[in-house]
Amino acid sequence: MSSTALPKRVALHRNPTTDSSVPSSVTASPFDSPRHSPSSTSLSSMASDAGKESQDQGKMLDTYGNEFKIPDFTIKQIRDAIPAHCYERSAVTSLYYVFRDISILAAVFYVYYNYVTPENIPSMPARVALWTLYTVVQGLVATGVWVLAHECGHQAFSPSKTLNDTVGWICHSALLVPYFSWKISHGKHHKATGNIARDMVFVPKTRDQFATRVGKAVHELGELMEETPILTALNLVLQQLFGWPMYLLTNVTGHNNHERQPEGRGKGKSNGYFGGVNHFNPGSPLYEAKDAKLIALSDLGLFITGSTLYYLGTNFGWMNLLVWYGIPYLWVNHWLVAITYLQHTDPTLAHYQPEAWNFARGAACTIDRDFGFVGRNILHGIIETHVLHHYVSTIPFYNADEASEAIKKVMGEHYKTDAQTGWTGFFKALWNSSRVCHWVEPTEGATGEHANVLFYRNTNGIGVPPAKMAAK
């Protein structure tokens, strides 16, 4: 398989005396430095050079000033490039990974419950350190179980829909995830990835929305002072702690155009507290009337798990339950939010207004990253092969590497990756995207279809400046 070379990491800072597309300075710190486009393969793109009509619509520039061209390959080209055996799903193989992960969770708990005790380890600091390690390990392995249930939701687990949904419901319910409710809304995310009006996960804020959030007029955004690192860190902590439950409860990060969705149940409903949009109510505008039984079944799974946890807390102590299950559960939430955020948030990614969107374009609005041994062996490659997953979500994770290599030849420059950076690169990307990806807008001067292709801009003086807008 061909290797993927990463370009140099260069930070672009605004300079009022230069053209917005020209980098003005370079910073030496890799922690804060954005990258040039992480487009990956040495093969040329399938997209043809833009014609005169395209040129007349103006250039499209990502956050770093790299020129963007709209993908023109088709889903058929993508699917045809993937070897036929990559589509094959094995119930035996998938069940092996479920039993493997659950066995690890049980074995770790058994060892700690029986041996990391005051009788065996009298030192309180030593026990605290060891039980802290327990929560980290259990959180990672449980996230792997979450990923396997995610495979079930996409019918990538096995050829049997009944087996897929049974395993998915059990595994997700055990992690307090409403399986069918999530499955339905997540399927809509896949059908509308990159569509700013219909996507369901980490939909970027528009300029108007971001201005409202920070209490500024739209035209003032280019003049704001730099966001402090402390504020960035605080926003990250809140996102990582509360992002997942808030998504389930209020649809935060999902689209807020419910009245215009085909389900026809969104009148008067909006994201936020008491807005009527959540993953637990069969009447939520996220679902159709025919989904009601599945939503109720999801809620039943949560009730069973909640009842079990109540029994454990009552009989074994709530502090014990917090350490055994509660803190690992928070780790699962953290990893889930971080992974999803970084799959869909990067300064090199475009987003589309509905007028310019199609499935092939939208599926390219995601990026593969790298989390080293943990990503490959515990998290089942969900971080490393996500682009492929958005084109063909029924391919099982154990065939995803080969299929990913195949589609790179079709996608060319439109395949985005942050590979070969390991777990440290993953955390650097988390920080960098938080600093750089504040809102999306068209490239200044773009017209026609190009004006419906949106890119991240920020108030921190990094990359291409926001478009200049006159006060109204």
Side-chain angles (χ1 to χ4, degrees), residues 351-412:
H351 287 76
Y352 296 90
Q353 295 284 8
E355 295 83 356
W357 180 90
N358 64 38
F359 182 86
R361 293 175 178 181
C365 299
T366 185
I367 182 171
D368 287 343
R369 300 195 187 273
D370 181 16
F371 205 65
F373 175 87
V374 170
R376 291 287 182 186
N377 297 280
I378 298 179
L379 304 182
H380 306 298
I382 194 172
I383 295 171
E384 290 80 4
T385 60
H386 198 67
V387 175
L388 174 278
H389 175 68
H390 266 274
Y391 280 105
V392 191
S393 58
T394 55
I395 290 179
F397 73 90
Y398 42 81
N399 292 336
D401 280 318
E402 182 178 359
S404 291
E405 288 299 319
I407 71 168
K408 290 177 187 179
K409 301 172 184 177
V410 177
M411 295 185 69

Side-chain angles (χ1 to χ4, degrees), residues 74-106:
T74 66
I75 298 301
K76 185 178 187 304
Q77 288 175 304
I78 291 285
R79 296 187 69 92
D80 288 350
I82 299 171
H85 64 267
C86 290
Y87 292 94
E88 296 175 2
R89 299 161 291 173
S90 168
V92 173
T93 301
S94 297
L95 285 169
Y96 157 74
Y97 283 104
V98 172
F99 289 129
R100 186 202 73 169
D101 288 1
I102 292 176
S103 296
I104 293 172
L105 290 170

